[in-house]
Amino acid sequence: MTAEILARWQFGITTVYHFLFVPITIALSLLVAVLQTMWVKSGNVRFLRLTKFYGKLFLINFAMGVVTGIVQEFQFGMNWSEYSRTVGDIFGAPLAMEALIAFFLESVFLGVWVFGWDKLPKKVHLATIWLGSIGTLISSIFILAANAWMQNPTGAEFANNRAQMTDLLAVILNPVAATTWTHVIFGAFMTAGALVLGAAGWNLVRVNREHPNSDDVADFRWATRFGAWVLIVACVGVVVTGHIQGQVLTDLQPMKMAAAENLQKTTDCAPFEIVPGLGVPCVLSFMATNDPGAEVRGMDDLAAEYSAKLAAGKPLDDRNQLQVTTAAAGAGIWGQKDAVDWIPPVMPSFWSFRFMMLLGVIGVAIGIYTLVATKGTKIPKGGKGWTAMMILTPLMPLFASSFGWLVTEIGRQPFIVNGVLSTHAAVSPGVTAFEVGMTLVLYTLIYAVFAVVEVNLMLKYIKLGMPHYLREPEVQTDEDAPMSFAY
């Protein structure tokens, strides 16, 4: 295998692995903030116990996300130096803002939250978890803006043999970024809601079997239903924002949409294929344009159109200033003038899109079933089926999000920056296949160890159940008293 292929595998594996922690961090921090707010407002110890219980799970996940995320930055310099040289001035700007503004905000205030239970007044301490969770949201804005710029490179032009920023706001407020951010955030709440549901639902039947009618049963039952409602409501948001995102992609990245739907020829009333060869008429046209009878361009016709533009030195999209100036300079893919395979890998895009939807639907179905099973005063009987369902519930939206990112990134090929720079031209020229292969193996082994640690820690603290003997936190007045880890 070539260094390019191995570099793509390495970045794909490390990125997908890192993203397993991201949606839980984003949404669970906000859910923990909500639970602590309910405790501060009501004084009900139930919400303090739930805050502590899910706070442990959040902190484990947050720490692992930070460790795995550090690797991403180094790969831009090691394996993708031509990408960094050509577009780093723009791509690096939102990442730098994320580190300077968002990451420091979330890390500082989450640290204060962890160690400040007995140091700060109750409402001040509550503010720290809200500030930390807001930091995670701001962080996601900048990171998704950087990724969206690769899909639709706005606010830039090509000059002096590299991309140069002309409008920072255009980079941050990219239409792809807006639709992607809302879709990802709702997906994150689906994942966090499913984790709340799964952890509480498993404990609910276990505690009810051992200590029926106890406070733990009532608290875990409340948390189970709370997680189910978060999961279901977030799913509605995912569907709505996903529909809007599909229309934006049809306009700005029609090849990606065509590949995800295996649409070879331009078609009116285009069908949505459940599996290859079995489609529902006009559904794709509605998804892409809100018009069931509308035309949707197919891969073959788009490839022919792009080849003609490349031969004539014209950009793929004359609305995009960076694509226009890159083509005019004969740079990027226009400087190669080689035959280009415009069609991305179709079956990975096609099946990833369907697995994303299927897993999301199954997760929501479990949420609805859980609400029915816990309606009124009912407690599920448990058993192997219930246990398996509670274990799988958090994994459904989590892997659905990962499949969604596979659609996003695979469908952009052959470009690393859409319409500007090919993936082939972005790889580091001096890196050998052996070097990339060795680091790929090492990263995979290290991440496997991290996975074992993460799963064991999460299962350990889920099995420990609800914290007991909690006292009302008292603000210490002794300035020399040592700080203590509250978990």
Side-chain angles (χ1 to χ4, degrees), residues 182-249:
T182 53
H183 191 59
V184 167
I185 294 302
F186 278 116
F189 275 97
M190 281 188 67
T191 304
L195 177 61
V196 170
L197 188 164
W202 180 81
N203 273 297
L204 173 62
V205 297
R206 178 180 67 88
V207 174
N208 186 60
R209 185 168 55 248
E210 298 170 357
H211 306 286
N213 302 317
S214 65
D215 289 340
D216 282 6
V217 172
D219 293 351
F220 276 127
R221 182 179 174 278
W222 186 93
T224 300
R225 293 182 63 82
F226 175 68
W229 275 115
V230 171
L231 171 61
I232 294 168
V233 172
C235 176
V236 176
V238 166
V239 172
V240 173
T241 57
H243 179 59
I244 297 171
Q245 186 180 36
Q247 295 175 8
V248 172
L249 293 180

Side-chain angles (χ1 to χ4, degrees), residues 292-313:
E295 174 186 275
V296 180
R297 289 185 289 174
M299 291 180 286
D300 292 344
D301 299 297
L302 285 168
E305 175 188 330
Y306 293 165
S307 294
K309 287 182 175 180
L310 178 64

Side-chain angles (χ1 to χ4, degrees), residues 122-312:
K122 186 185 295 186
K123 292 183 178 180
V124 174
H125 183 260
L126 173 63
T128 62
I129 182 61
W130 276 107
L131 288 169
S133 59
I134 290 170
T136 65
L137 285 175
I138 297 174
S139 178
S140 67
I141 292 172
F142 288 124
I143 291 174
L144 291 174
N147 180 270
W149 186 84
M150 298 166 69
Q151 318 292 334
N152 180 42
T154 55
E157 63 181 13
F158 195 85
N160 300 319
N161 203 32
R162 63 194 303 159
Q164 297 183 353
M165 186 183 299
T166 58
D167 187 348
L168 176 61
L169 284 180
V171 175
I172 303 299
L173 301 179
N174 190 328
V176 174
T179 56
T180 299
W181 184 80
T182 53
H183 191 59
V184 167
I185 294 302
F186 278 116
F189 275 97
M190 281 188 67
T191 304
L195 177 61
V196 170
L197 188 164
W202 180 81
N203 273 297
L204 173 62
V205 297
R206 178 180 67 88
V207 174
N208 186 60
R209 185 168 55 248
E210 298 170 357
H211 306 286
N213 302 317
S214 65
D215 289 340
D216 282 6
V217 172
D219 293 351
F220 276 127
R221 182 179 174 278
W222 186 93
T224 300
R225 293 182 63 82
F226 175 68
W229 275 115
V230 171
L231 171 61
I232 294 168
V233 172
C235 176
V236 176
V238 166
V239 172
V240 173
T241 57
H243 179 59
I244 297 171
Q245 186 180 36
Q247 295 175 8
V248 172
L249 293 180
T250 300
D251 179 40
L252 298 174
Q253 291 180 290
M255 182 65 80
K256 178 185 290 187
M257 179 61 77
E261 298 301 330
N262 192 28
L263 186 67
Q264 296 288 339
K265 302 293 183 181
T266 299
T267 307
D268 296 333
C269 190
F272 173 82
E273 291 192 343
I274 301 172
V275 296
L278 178 61
V280 182
C282 302
V283 172
L284 175 56
S285 290
F286 175 77
M287 291 169 58
T289 66
N290 279 341
D291 180 0
E295 174 186 275
V296 180
R297 289 185 289 174
M299 291 180 286
D300 292 344
D301 299 297
L302 285 168
E305 175 188 330
Y306 293 165
S307 294
K309 287 182 175 180
L310 178 64

Side-chain angles (χ1 to χ4, degrees), residues 418-486:
N418 188 43
V420 175
L421 183 66
S422 69
T423 305
H424 174 73
V427 72
S428 298
V431 176
T432 66
F434 175 78
E435 291 169 334
V436 182
M438 283 296 295
T439 55
L440 172 59
V441 171
L442 289 173
Y443 281 143
T444 303
L445 291 175
I446 293 171
Y447 278 17
V449 173
F450 286 164
V452 173
V453 173
E454 163 85 4
V455 171
N456 283 336
L457 285 174
M458 294 290 276
L459 292 179
K460 173 184 176 180
Y461 286 102
I462 289 173
K463 290 177 180 177
L464 284 176
M466 203 77 72
H468 293 92
Y469 310 112
L470 287 179
R471 60 177 175 79
E472 182 82 9
E474 298 178 0
V475 179
Q476 297 179 359
T477 57
D478 184 1
E479 295 181 356
D480 296 324
M483 298 184 72
S484 60
F485 188 73

Side-chain angles (χ1 to χ4, degrees), residues 7-20:
R8 291 172 66 179
W9 271 104
Q10 184 181 101
F11 198 85
I13 289 172
T14 55
T15 301
V16 169
Y17 187 93
H18 171 63
F19 192 76
L20 294 176

